[in-house]
Amino acid sequence: MKLMAVLFLAVTMWATSCTPPERVAYETVVASKAFLDKVKSQHPECQHSTPIAAGASSTLNICVDLDKATAAKDTLIDIVETLCAGPNFNSGGQCDFPKKGTPAGDQAISKLNAAISAYNQTANDLKAATGAK
Amino acid sequence: MLLTILDLGIQFLTQYLSSVKSLKLPAEVATAVQAAIDALFAHKADIISKSNLDALRG
């Protein structure tokens, strides 16, 4: 089991080091959207403005964490759109991400990493609220 | 056929998920993680455009 986790981590780190940062961010957004939509469908009580009326405080925790994770995902989208801005992207085409190795590129990568970490933290809180260890 | 990096990552994620599913992941989290993996497969050829990004909001 531990070996599996170490292997998974190693492959993830290797894959993310070879994949363009904007692609890593996009895949994080895709996966998080699907993950959050699924959790939302399992907790319809969170669509009400006062989820506490639905019952236990654990329900409220899930709804709050769900809102936070959704906001973190949307913030990541804002950052990707800002960093992708350029002639192609602004006319509906592919992302114009700053070139890797340039000061702008390095700064963009650190901003993306910070946004991805923020999302991961909220997703972990949500998983904990739903009972995952 | 050579596996892409994404395929390899997803393959490991799937294997990891199936190994932990029975141990400590609650069913609803496991289902949501599976949905995330399916979405990665479905969107892997997407271009990173404003319309594709905006579709993932909310």
Side-chain angles (χ1 to χ4, degrees):
Chain A
M1 184 60 220
K2 275 185 184 168
L3 177 67
M4 194 67 207
V6 170
L7 269 175
F8 170 70
L9 260 179
V11 167
T12 305
M13 286 170 70
W14 173 72
T16 51
S17 68
C18 299
T19 309
E22 68 276 24
R23 175 58 58 183
V24 173
Y26 183 74
E27 284 165 6
T28 303
V29 171
V30 164
S32 61
K33 169 74 173 162
F35 177 83
L36 295 172
D37 281 353
K38 196 72 186 177
V39 176
K40 282 174 192 171
S41 73
Q42 291 162 341
H43 291 277
E45 73 276 15
C46 293
Q47 289 169 3
H48 302 297
S49 55
T50 53
I52 198 159
S57 63
S58 61
T59 298
L60 178 64
N61 285 343
I62 290 170
C63 298
V64 169
D65 288 337
L66 202 46
D67 282 347
K68 283 183 185 172
T70 304
K73 171 185 65 65
D74 289 349
T75 302
L76 178 56
I77 293 174
D78 289 339
I79 292 171
V80 174
E81 287 189 353
T82 304
L83 296 174
C84 282
N88 288 329
F89 188 76
N90 294 347
S91 57
Q94 183 96 20
C95 174
D96 295 307
F97 199 78
K99 289 220 176 347
K100 208 173 174 181
T102 63
D106 294 343
Q107 199 180 45
I109 289 170
S110 63
K111 281 178 185 166
L112 276 186
N113 286 339
I116 291 171
S117 296
Y119 168 73
N120 284 340
Q121 183 58 57
T122 58
N124 286 338
D125 290 346
L126 178 61
K127 285 175 194 166
T130 55
K133 303 220 177 358
Chain B
M1 195 177 82
L2 283 176
L3 283 174
T4 64
I5 291 165
L6 179 61
D7 286 331
L8 206 60
I10 291 172
Q11 207 173 67
F12 268 89
L13 193 61
T14 310
Q15 284 172 10
Y16 177 72
L17 174 66
S18 58
S19 68
V20 295
K21 202 184 268 182
S22 59
L23 296 176
K24 37 179 157 165
L25 227 48
E28 70 176 279
V29 177
T31 315
V33 173
Q34 187 59 54
I37 293 170
D38 294 343
L40 281 172
F41 271 115
H43 289 266
K44 72 177 180 175
D46 282 5
I47 65 158
I48 306 171
S49 65
K50 185 162 173 38
S51 60
N52 281 342
L53 282 162
D54 285 341
L56 297 168
R57 288 184 187 275

